[in-house]
Amino acid sequence: IGSGVFSWASKKQQSVAQSSAEAEYVSASLATSQTIWLRRILEDIGEKQKEATVMFCDNKSAIDIAKNPVYHSRTRHIAIKHHFIRDAIEDGEVELKFCKSEDQVADIFTKALPKDKFNYFREMLGWADLCKSFLQEAKWNHEKVTPTFDEYIQNAWISSSGAVLLVHSYFLVTEKISKEAIHCLDNHHGILQWPCTILRLYNDFSTLSAELERGEVTNALTCYMHETGQSEKLAGQHISQMIEECWMKMNKELISPPPFEENFTEIAVDLARIALCQYQYGDAHSSPGVIARNRIFSVILVPIQLLETAQNTTTEWKSLLASS
């Protein structure tokens, strides 16, 4: 919802398709069911969708079948229930758009790709760098080695997993995928690096005690204290200052502007905001305290009485005006 990706699925089709076009057509039909359901939910909460929901498909034949209301020899054997996608397109609820196979990163999950293409998509998903960063941290912990602060930071912002989340989000929410943007993702653009660094530093700041109890030595504060010989308090001040600098660098990247669509940059900024909300009062992920619990309850469970609040505010203003 908004700039957040929250619904996805990967499952085996229940029917056997006689062609790749038919398989894509059936998949598009199933996705249409999910899309219409989500549109109904948004309408129920007062967010009716005026424009058609865009769906991407990398098979032109499947798109042609969906847009052609005529039944012919190629489609008459397809179950009738799958043809309702045509009604959804005609009613303006769904719009099918073509996506080139070279940009279809999802193929890594479903096809036996050539080595070069597989490696390319894997890099795009960020898995290779993430696994390497996990391996490096495991090596440090196993050997009881404390890296330098710079070595730790260069590895830690990737091991935060934020980069993988953002790369996946880019391909999910971007309508026009550009080579320039992919190149920037591959080379760790600032809009990717700084939110992830903020996430990692907030996490390290709040989980230091728990990590030391577990015997983990790779933490931003411990690395800084080991390298400089300063106290935990001064190390904390340095980390806080570094977080502020990362926010400034991220804002600078937004002004540039970056080669990404606005909905993706919003997701990147939201990642940093979530990190602040999650770790501002301790570790709200692993061991949430009272403040963190109350925040979650207030956002998700406790209803907001907007109408009543507005009426009370109006009454108070009228009383003040009358008394004056």
Side-chain angles (χ1 to χ4, degrees), residues 33-47:
S33 301
Q34 179 79 355
T35 299
I36 293 177
W37 174 66
L38 293 173
R39 289 173 65 92
R40 297 292 181 271
I41 291 179
L42 291 172
E43 184 177 356
D44 289 342
I45 62 177
E47 295 292 338

Side-chain angles (χ1 to χ4, degrees), residues 27 31 60 70 74-75 84 141 156 159 172 182 233 243 273 296:
S27 296
K60 290 184 177 180
V70 179
R74 289 199 304 164
T75 61
F84 88 102
N141 285 319
S159 67
L172 285 170
I182 293 177
K233 181 179 180 180
I243 291 174
R273 292 170 178 161
I296 296 173

Side-chain angles (χ1 to χ4, degrees), residues 109-139:
F109 299 108
T110 59
K111 296 180 180 179
L113 300 172
K115 182 178 179 180
D116 292 342
K117 199 167 187 178
F118 177 85
N119 290 336
Y120 175 72
F121 283 158
R122 185 186 63 179
E123 293 291 340
M124 288 298 97
L125 291 173
W127 292 349
D129 289 340
L130 180 64
C131 292
K132 290 177 183 177
S133 66
F134 284 163
L135 183 61
Q136 181 62 67
E137 289 189 353
K139 184 178 179 180

